[in-house]
Amino acid sequence: MDKNMSEHTLVHGGQLTEIALRYNIPLEKWLDLSTGIAPTSYPVGLIPAMCWQRLPQHSDALLKAAQDYYQTPNLLATAGSQSIIQALPQLCISQCFADARVWLPAVGYQEHRKAWQNAHYQTLDYQDTPDIRLIKQGDIVLVINPNNPSGKLHTRQQLTELLLTISAKKGLLIIDEAFMDATPEHTMTPLLACNRDSSDNNINQDALIILRSVGKFFGLAGIRLGFVVAHDYWLKPIADVLGPWSVSGPAQYVGRQALTDRCWQQEQTTVLNRLSSALEGVLVQVFTRPIHGTTLFKTVITAQAPAIFEALCKQGIYIRLCDEKNALRFGIPNEQGLKQLESVLLSQPIQRLL
Ligand SMILES: Cc1ncc(COP(=O)(O)O)c(C=O)c1O
């Protein structure tokens, strides 16, 4: 893959209209497993008219809901994590990181790479895990935890050690936790709960920024809501850049409900665990190789990835051909979708490719 992508438009999942046209199959006939967005979403009920009519004011209710959910008072609502991914390089320039080198996972959500390269940062790749020995004074390190699409999950202990090194070298660790919600025991957000000056664990609290998304686990990618978790050193300039109305009234309203509804969240975790195990069961049977991923997607590494992607599209099943063209990522289907996927994967055109 061309690693210099500052001028490229990236391919993402979710581009069903374009794919439907390309394969000449009507939109409604597709099984769309091209994203890591949950197949069941938080039930959005009626939204009060004033949420649509008024300019969105700062919402204490949303802030409180998010503070409880992410277990830290230090956060800011954003229009999805993507808006922060795009804004961070410029912010880092203004916050004394203009000359930093940026470590990125070789495989991962490529919007990060694009944003840093657009801002002319020097980017360096690491494979699964950043090598502490290679981190220099003032480096920025990005970890996507768990990684999309590889599924690689770093433990809290590993990330704390990494953060200690980065903090000692006056660098910055950015953790993208867009897919963390179903495994909250691994989140690093509580580390940013303490008062910035009272942290007694040798960690400079300004050395950590965490990004969260309400799009994936809650199945609400369309409302564009996410959070940036950090201390004021970062939150203040980020708030300045975002301006007064970056999160819409309807997103604030629905987000508050979703983040406080513990019953629904538990049920969603159970459903996702069940559906993702069922998908894994089918994939392991078809591909007879390790299946990677999270409860929101499964990834199979195979040299036949482009051919299988093509064959599935011809049968009306849209998955994600990973950027390196050596892996396929499957979003989680519901029971009916899984049956359809299984029967197509076991059919002659696909079996011939395996
Ligand atoms: C790892 C990762 N981070 C962040 C995002 C952006 O998500 P959103 O802007 O919907 O929060 C994505 C989208 O696919 C992603 O895969």
Side-chain angles (χ1 to χ4, degrees), residues 78 155 165 194 254 302:
T78 68
T155 62
T165 303
C194 55
V254 175
T302 164

Side-chain angles (χ1 to χ4, degrees), residues 121-146:
Y121 274 89
Q122 180 192 354
T123 57
L124 299 158
D125 283 7
Y126 63 85
Q127 293 307 315
D128 269 357
T129 307
D131 185 342
I132 284 179
R133 293 164 307 176
L134 299 180
I135 294 168
K136 291 203 183 139
Q137 196 75 6
D139 279 359
I140 297 174
V141 180
L142 169 83
V143 175
I144 302 172
N145 201 40

Side-chain angles (χ1 to χ4, degrees), residues 12 79-83 85 109 112 144 146-148 176 178-179 212-216 221 224-226 329:
H12 293 291
S81 36
Q82 180 63 33
S83 64
I85 291 171
Y109 184 57
H112 286 286
I144 302 172
N147 184 287
N148 167 26
D176 177 346
F179 288 96
R212 297 292 300 241
S213 174
V214 176
K216 322 293 183 198
R224 309 307 305 136
L225 181 63
R329 192 193 66 193

